[in-house]
Amino acid sequence: MVKIGMMIGERYEILEKIGTGGMSDVYKGKDHKLNRFVAIKVLKQEFSENENFVSKFRIEAQAAAGLMHPNIVNVYDVGEENGIYYIVMELVEGITLKKYIEKKARLSYKEAVSIGIQVGMGIEAAHNNHIIHRDIKPQNIIISKDGKVKVTDFGIAKAATSNTITSNVMGSVHYTSPEQARGGYSDEKSDIYSLGITMFEMLTGRVPFNGETTVAIAIKHIQEEMPSPQEYVPEIPNSVESIVLKCCQKSPDRRYQSVQELVTDLKQSLINPDEDFVVVNDPDIEGGTRMLSDDDISRIKHRSVYQDDREYEEEDEPMRLLSDTAALYEEEEDLEEEDEYDYDPKMERVTTILAVVAGIVICIIIIILALKIFGNRGESDGLDSPVNTDETADTEYVDMPVVTGMNVTDAQSTLKDLGLEVNVVYEESETIDEDVVISADVSVGTSLQVGSTVTLTVSAGTEGIEIPYVVGMSVGEATSQLTSTGFLVNRTEGNSDTVEKDYVISQMPESGGKAPRGTVINIEVSIGQSRVNVPDLMRRPEDEARAMLIEAKLDIGNVSYVYSNEVEEGYVCYQSYSQGSYVDPGTPIDFRVSKGPESYTYRYNASIAAPTVDEAPDYESGSEVNVKLVTDGGNVLLDTRTSSFPVSANFYGLNSSAGTITITYTVTTTEPDSPPTTEERSFTRRVEFTRE
């Protein structure tokens, strides 16, 4: 049983629950060994006792753990402890592409292409590791707060062998490929189809195929022609439309044969958006529209009927599909009893033999994969020992793309998307337009480590302005000199032990060269010697807040404890310097810790008066009554019989703010020739208590 605050694997602290799915729950956690926040996916208790589910969970987790890429939500660790099976993943703060599209209605073609390039590079990394995602859709793509695009939920992907793997899991039907919809083979080109549908939605704000049921949508993927994105948004460039349509060809052979080919064309579309460079293979019989056979429709119904009542636009937990598949098989058995097919004993025997053979082959493949996966991790079970983070965090490399001839802004964006730093120098040119890249100091195709710097030589036109030298000047003097020369200024701040506060540390582009009028010159301004960035202590446990201040070389100031209706008890609800502020090392930071919501006590000091005529018209003064006082919390404060009023009531330390007084009295009735009869009657009074 996972509880908030518990430790898993002797290093991961469970902080809060952030999501749930059909098979697993997702928690925000703290890795105390590496001092970072992580997402922890925990298999639900009811599945952890099922050996089949656990085996699938472990194999898929190990496969996903082999993926390390800037455009993939990386898996750091997998493990098992006391029956709790978990995967530790990168914690990404941001929104899904689905919500981003809904927020903006539709994206510009440049933004859509840029996102498509990053998604493609993440998928390419998976394909290079023989892993097919099978559920590419906007809900499984996250845009982080810093603008990075990451593909998540490789939980249902399976390590592919040299043969094509048949998928038993149907992804979200709006994005599924025709071969998946038919229940046939799915390979890397199925992911390309789904990415094409995703790009269609980014560009137009809608999916190409829709319907009342999943069966109807699946049939459209197989049978209907792909609509043109330009029908909905005419300004979409021709090359971008051609790329989307090529991705979404019915026949896998007519699509891009690799994600690398797709990414290359996407980058080319940023340079020459209206050029006709997309090559479509000669049409074959599979590429055209074809009518579905009864067998095709029956197979789709069998695979899709269980999903008709589900909302596909939600962000679902991909591993939920594994449990849904089991339910699908049960429904298939019921449907087969209703179908009016002719029974063929010979065919049934052949099918049974083929199923047994396929089962044996799959078992052999799983054993081989398990030996490879677990053998590389030592003699112990991979789930019993944490993954060596230092070994899995291999240095990432990217290939240098073509940037010559691009606008400098687009070239910078392309390189930064790959994780590269960019340095720009200008030179005059009579043959190349202003702001167009003339050359780069790295050859196309060169393998570069992520974070490397690429220097671009950019045309300043025929009338470039010489860039002045402003390093060492005050920020005011530097800004004045640059703007008077005809440049724009972008200011950033940084620490410096050698440059005085408010003076320029560096400039980019550097002085000496020439650049067009209006070029932005970036200057870094000193904020003083080694100032410290104040960490975010809000809503963190007191012990963690103290540790964060010590790690940041800051002193712990005054710590007080206050009531708070918004922050949980034991967590920080105030800090004297806001997150991101720069202060000197050793600055004391005051913070307050929540004691939880404030609780109050009440008192009741009063004299309970006799019943009034309005309350009890038939009450006789002096007769005996029962007086009972009960708080709203059910605590009986007074329960007594009396014939005299007022009744004194003095109570303190009450937890409730109000109560009820019930007065019960007896009425005697006499009738001629009949013995007298008595009847009990009562009424109530509401009373408010006073806060102490």
Side-chain angles (χ1 to χ4, degrees):
M1 181 68 179
V2 178
K3 296 181 180 179
I4 304 300
M6 73 179 295
M7 295 289 291
I8 296 179
E10 299 182 356
R11 63 185 288 188
Y12 304 111
E13 179 184 3
I14 303 294
L15 299 180
E16 61 178 309
K17 190 174 184 179
I18 58 176
T20 187
M23 284 186 59
S24 62
D25 295 318
V26 183
Y27 298 86
K28 179 180 180 180
K30 176 71 177 293
D31 181 353
H32 286 273
K33 185 174 182 180
L34 297 178
N35 192 30
R36 65 182 176 187
F37 292 102
V38 295
I40 304 173
K41 184 176 291 188
V42 179
L43 190 65
K44 287 185 176 180
Q45 185 67 33
E46 57 265 34
F47 295 107
S48 63
E49 298 173 357
N50 186 311
E51 292 184 2
N52 291 331
F53 281 114
V54 169
S55 175
K56 188 179 295 290
F57 183 88
R58 293 168 66 181
I59 292 173
E60 293 171 2
Q62 294 284 5
L67 294 176
M68 297 294 290
H69 192 272
N71 297 116
I72 289 177
V73 176
N74 296 311
V75 174
Y76 296 141
D77 194 4
V78 293
E80 181 270 333
E81 182 176 288
N82 298 326
I84 298 174
Y85 294 87
Y86 61 90
I87 304 177
V88 182
M89 303 180 297
E90 175 185 5
L91 180 64
V92 181
E93 295 185 358
I95 63 172
T96 65
L97 177 58
K98 186 69 175 180
K99 289 184 178 179
Y100 188 65
I101 296 172
E102 292 172 351
K103 182 179 178 181
K104 299 190 69 173
R106 63 180 177 85
L107 311 184
S108 68
Y109 88 87
K110 285 188 176 181
E111 190 172 18
V113 169
S114 176
I115 292 173
I117 290 172
Q118 294 187 63
V119 173
M121 289 191 295
I123 298 174
E124 182 184 3
H127 289 180
N128 289 339
N129 284 274
H130 310 293
I131 294 177
I132 306 168
H133 191 290
R134 289 187 175 85
D135 198 25
I136 295 295
K137 58 184 177 181
Q139 294 93 327
N140 284 339
I141 298 168
I142 299 177
I143 302 176
S144 66
K145 289 183 178 180
D146 60 0
K148 269 288 184 184
V149 179
K150 291 178 177 283
V151 184
T152 186
D153 281 338
F154 277 86
I156 65 166
K158 299 177 182 179
T161 64
S162 58
N163 296 323
T164 305
I165 298 295
T166 301
S167 173
N168 287 327
V169 180
M170 188 175 185
S172 296
V173 72
H174 290 93
Y175 310 92
T176 194
S177 64
E179 59 269 24
Q180 285 176 295
R182 281 194 295 264
Y185 302 110
S186 62
D187 58 9
E188 289 86 350
K189 292 184 281 294
S190 298
D191 284 348
I192 292 174
Y193 182 94
S194 299
L195 178 54
I197 300 294
T198 300
M199 290 194 61
F200 184 101
E201 185 174 359
M202 285 194 283
L203 293 164
T204 65
R206 52 167 291 162
V207 291
F209 301 119
N210 218 330
E212 295 181 358
T213 66
T214 57
V215 174
I217 299 170
I219 291 174
K220 288 182 178 181
H221 276 289
I222 299 172
Q223 190 165 323
E224 291 192 5
E225 290 291 345
M226 181 74 178
S228 165
Q230 290 181 341
E231 292 179 10
Y232 305 102
V233 185
E235 58 266 29
I236 294 175
N238 294 331
S239 65
V240 177
E241 181 188 51
S242 298
I243 290 171
V244 172
L245 294 178
K246 183 174 180 179
C247 288
C248 299
Q249 290 291 316
K250 304 297 182 188
S251 169
D253 294 334
R254 302 187 71 209
R255 299 175 202 152
Y256 288 98
Q257 297 305 292
S258 70
V259 182
Q260 184 179 10
E261 293 180 13
L262 168 59
V263 171
T264 299
D265 275 5
L266 287 172
K267 291 177 180 178
Q268 183 69 16
S269 71
L270 289 176
I271 305 171
N272 302 303
D274 293 315
E275 185 177 323
D276 183 16
F277 57 82
V278 178
V279 178
V280 180
N281 297 333
D282 292 335
D284 53 31
I285 190 169
E286 293 182 2
T289 302
R290 71 179 182 88
M291 297 302 294
L292 289 175
S293 66
D294 292 340
D295 184 61
D296 282 337
I297 295 175
S298 175
R299 188 185 300 114
I300 295 168
K301 286 182 178 180
H302 282 193
R303 290 186 170 275
S304 305
V305 67
Y306 78 111
Q307 294 177 329
D308 282 348
D309 297 329
R310 292 174 55 187
E311 180 59 59
Y312 271 90
E313 302 306 325
E314 296 177 350
E315 295 179 38
D316 29 343
E317 167 67 35
M319 284 190 293
R320 177 182 61 205
L321 296 175
L322 297 173
S323 58
D324 288 343
T325 304
L328 171 61
Y329 289 144
E330 294 175 1
E331 291 194 34
E332 283 183 333
E333 292 175 0
D334 295 336
L335 287 169
E336 287 171 359
E337 294 177 1
E338 299 175 7
D339 291 340
E340 297 180 356
Y341 293 128
D342 291 333
Y343 177 71
D344 188 343
K346 293 183 178 179
M347 182 59 68
E348 183 180 30
R349 285 195 296 273
V350 172
T351 303
T352 302
I353 293 171
L354 290 175
V356 172
V357 173
I360 294 172
V361 171
I362 291 172
C363 289
I364 294 172
I365 292 172
I366 291 174
I367 291 171
I368 293 172
L369 288 174
L371 289 174
K372 288 183 178 180
I373 292 170
F374 297 119
N376 292 336
R377 296 178 180 269
E379 295 296 327
S380 61
D381 192 328
L383 283 173
D384 293 332
S385 58
V387 175
N388 187 327
T389 308
D390 295 333
E391 293 178 0
T392 58
D394 294 334
T395 304
E396 293 292 334
Y397 288 87
V398 294
D399 292 337
M400 177 64 187
V402 177
V403 294
T404 302
M406 295 176 64
N407 179 275
V408 62
T409 303
D410 293 336
Q412 287 176 309
S413 176
T414 299
L415 294 173
K416 287 181 179 179
D417 287 342
L418 294 173
L420 301 173
E421 299 296 326
V422 183
N423 181 26
V424 178
V425 296
Y426 287 89
E427 69 176 37
E428 290 189 49
S429 174
E430 296 181 355
T431 58
I432 300 178
D433 292 338
E434 187 177 293
D435 284 333
V436 173
V437 177
I438 300 173
S439 63
D441 66 342
V442 179
S443 301
V444 175
T446 301
S447 182
L448 296 173
Q449 183 177 337
V450 171
S452 300
T453 299
V454 176
T455 299
L456 302 179
T457 301
V458 180
S459 171
T462 57
E463 298 180 357
I465 305 172
E466 186 171 348
I467 303 171
Y469 182 76
V470 297
V471 174
M473 295 183 182
S474 68
V475 62
E477 184 182 0
T479 302
S480 175
Q481 183 161 340
L482 290 170
T483 54
S484 63
T485 310
F487 297 108
L488 301 177
V489 179
N490 178 47
R491 171 182 170 178
T492 58
E493 295 181 339
N495 291 318
S496 175
D497 294 329
T498 58
V499 179
E500 187 180 348
K501 181 181 179 183
D502 293 331
Y503 281 75
V504 177
I505 302 171
S506 62
Q507 68 179 85
M508 187 62 64
E510 297 178 353
S511 63
K514 291 186 177 182
R517 183 181 300 275
T519 298
V520 176
I521 307 297
N522 297 289
I523 61 173
E524 184 180 16
V525 180
S526 172
I527 57 175
Q529 293 183 348
S530 301
R531 304 195 78 195
V532 177
N533 195 336
V534 177
D536 183 13
L537 309 180
M538 296 297 292
R539 298 182 183 274
R540 300 184 185 277
E542 179 183 354
D543 291 345
E544 183 179 335
R546 291 176 180 271
M548 291 174 68
L549 291 176
I550 293 172
E551 290 174 5
K553 299 181 181 179
L554 297 170
D555 288 347
I556 299 171
N558 180 41
V559 180
S560 56
Y561 303 87
V562 297
Y563 290 107
S564 173
N565 293 323
E566 298 178 355
V567 179
E568 184 181 350
E569 181 181 359
Y571 288 75
V572 176
C573 58
Y574 164 84
Q575 63 185 85
S576 56
Y577 288 86
S578 60
Q579 174 199 6
S581 302
Y582 281 96
V583 297
D584 294 327
T587 300
I589 308 296
D590 302 337
F591 63 90
R592 299 171 189 165
V593 180
S594 170
K595 295 197 296 184
E598 186 174 3
S599 58
Y600 302 100
T601 58
Y602 300 85
R603 59 182 172 83
Y604 181 61
N605 306 112
S607 296
I608 301 174
T612 65
V613 175
D614 290 337
E615 292 174 327
D618 44 8
Y619 165 73
E620 294 182 3
S621 179
S623 61
E624 188 176 57
V625 300
N626 185 77
V627 180
K628 188 174 184 179
L629 172 59
V630 182
T631 69
D632 287 349
N635 187 23
V636 178
L637 301 179
L638 179 68
D639 190 0
T640 184
R641 299 190 66 83
T642 183
S643 58
S644 60
F645 286 95
V647 176
S648 178
N650 293 285
F651 301 98
Y652 299 89
L654 306 177
N655 293 323
S656 300
S657 61
T660 301
I661 297 174
T662 303
I663 298 180
T664 304
Y665 60 96
T666 302
V667 177
T668 302
T669 305
T670 58
E671 295 289 342
D673 302 327
S674 298
T677 60
T678 60
E679 178 185 358
E680 281 195 348
R681 299 179 183 178
S682 63
F683 63 90
T684 61
R685 296 174 184 167
R686 286 289 295 168
V687 291
E688 299 292 331
F689 304 152
T690 303
R691 196 168 80 181
E692 293 180 330

